[in-house]
Amino acid sequence: DYTTPFLYLLAIPLSSTLYHAFTMPVGNDEAYTYVNYTSRSIFTCAFYYLDPNNHILHSIITNIFSMLPGSELAGLRIPVILISTLNILLFFSLIKEYFSRNLALVAVAFYSVFMMTMYYSYMSRGYTLQTFAFLFCTYSIFKLLDQPKNKLYWLYYSIASVIGFYTLPSFLYPFITVNIFLILHFQTLK
């Protein structure tokens, strides 16, 4: 239920993201990603990992979007814009479902205008995809707390984890965090 206040709230970060996506110059890391991964084959994106600048899944997605007609910049930034918008929707849904609608509105109001949230909502890097994996993983964990035998939520949890690790190896940190939370919860049930 994305009501009118939420849509108004979404308009502010989305407008800013779109404005910055097509007015800000290409960043150094974006250029490096484009030259060394996106502009090459999808296999290069998937298997060439000589340095930490290859946010693997992100590079694969930008490679696919770069095949669409339009500028190279659009091919780099459109996937990030879509994922960052999805992050706001997922964050709102998570807070609303497990806490309250009003808290979700306040949380999204703050989260959506944090400097790093805004910066990576248009800057073509894998951090927004990693945030999506963390939010998706967290959402799955909350579902599993209520229904620990539900195989669909375990599948979601697994998919979110694979997305996170295939984007960046540093997903290990949020992965450990959500697993500690899950283990501690199941330990208290015994």
Side-chain angles (χ1 to χ4, degrees):
D1 180 28
Y2 298 105
T3 58
T4 304
F6 175 72
L7 294 176
Y8 284 133
L9 192 60
L10 186 60
I12 296 167
L14 190 56
S15 299
S16 175
T17 296
L18 291 172
Y19 172 76
H20 286 103
F22 297 103
T23 60
M24 294 298 290
V26 173
N28 289 341
D29 284 342
E30 285 181 304
Y32 190 89
T33 297
Y34 180 78
V35 168
N36 291 294
Y37 305 105
T38 301
S39 66
R40 297 180 181 197
S41 73
I42 201 162
F43 297 107
T44 300
C45 295
F47 300 112
Y48 182 69
Y49 196 81
L50 296 180
D51 55 351
N53 272 349
N54 183 8
H55 297 183
I56 299 170
L57 186 56
H58 171 75
S59 295
I60 291 169
I61 293 169
T62 58
N63 183 278
I64 293 166
F65 271 79
S66 72
M67 294 177 203
L68 299 174
S71 71
E72 289 88 3
L73 183 62
L76 278 173
R77 291 189 173 170
I78 287 173
V80 177
I81 294 167
L82 296 173
I83 294 166
S84 67
T85 304
L86 185 61
N87 284 348
I88 293 172
L89 297 171
L90 187 56
F91 186 64
F92 178 79
S93 297
L94 175 67
I95 301 297
K96 184 179 143 231
E97 185 172 338
Y98 289 98
F99 298 98
S100 74
R101 180 179 167 276
N102 289 338
L103 181 60
L105 289 170
V106 171
V108 165
F110 282 104
Y111 167 76
S112 65
V113 295
F114 283 152
M115 185 265 191
M116 295 311 283
T117 303
M118 292 298 295
Y119 181 70
Y120 286 116
S121 70
Y122 68 87
M123 188 61 58
S124 186
R125 303 298 295 135
Y127 302 116
T128 302
L129 193 54
Q130 187 178 40
T131 302
F132 169 76
F134 173 70
L135 288 170
F136 189 23
C137 204
T138 303
Y139 198 81
S140 302
I141 292 286
F142 273 87
K143 290 291 192 182
L144 286 168
L145 297 179
D146 294 334
Q147 302 173 43
K149 295 186 182 192
N150 189 319
K151 291 179 183 176
L152 183 62
Y153 296 135
W154 282 109
L155 177 65
Y156 291 162
Y157 169 73
S158 300
I159 290 169
S161 299
V162 168
I163 289 170
F165 279 114
Y166 200 58
T167 300
L168 286 163
S170 64
F171 187 72
L172 178 65
Y173 300 110
F175 181 76
I176 287 173
T177 303
V178 295
N179 277 292
I180 288 172
F181 181 75
L182 188 62
I183 289 168
L184 290 175
H185 176 76
F186 286 139
Q187 288 297 320
T188 60
L189 294 179
K190 291 183 179 181

